[in-house]
Structure formats: C-alpha cells, structure tokens
Amino acid sequence: MADFDRITIDADKMGGVACICGLRIPVATVLGLLADGMSREEVLEAYPDLEAEDIHQVLSYAAYLARERSLPIPASS
C-alpha cells in the first residue's frame, strides 16, 4: 500500500474504517462532502481539526483504492 501517514485503519477504532490519523473522522465522510460539492475550504471550516494535507491524502487514498480494483463498467447502449 502507498504511504498514507495521515490515514489510519484500526480494527479497534471506528469499526475498522479508514480515518484521519488521530481523529474520529472517516475518510469516507470527507470524501463524501467533497463529492457532494463542498469546497476544501468549506470542509476545513466544518471540521476545524482537519488540515489541508488531510484532504489531499483523502483524495490520494481514494484514487489509490480506485486503481487497485477492477470494476466492470457496463457498455452504454
């Protein structure tokens, strides 16, 4: 796995979901906010404990996971 020093996965915390290191903020929460249209600045305002580098790593982590999977894409008609 690539080096993500701001993301942690611990089976004993938050049900083992990927979180921002030292915080109980799931990667999926941050990614979902960005996908829903919030800007990075709005996410940082909503979660003052986050840093800009956390958001960068969330996006990098999502890209890493997308590269590692093979998902079938149906042909369009």
Side-chain angles (χ1 to χ4, degrees), residues 10-52:
D10 185 338
D12 295 328
K13 294 179 184 169
M14 296 293 290
V17 301
C19 290
I20 304 301
C21 193
L23 303 173
R24 292 182 167 266
I25 303 172
V27 167
T29 297
V30 177
L31 190 58
L33 294 172
L34 295 168
D36 286 343
M38 283 182 79
S39 69
R40 291 176 187 219
E41 293 76 21
E42 290 171 324
V43 173
L44 292 172
E45 282 182 32
Y47 291 88
D49 291 333
L50 286 178
E51 298 177 15

Side-chain angles (χ1 to χ4, degrees), residues 1-2 62-71:
M1 183 164 113
Y64 171 80
L65 291 178
R67 279 191 298 269
E68 292 301 307
R69 296 182 124 166
S70 176
L71 300 174

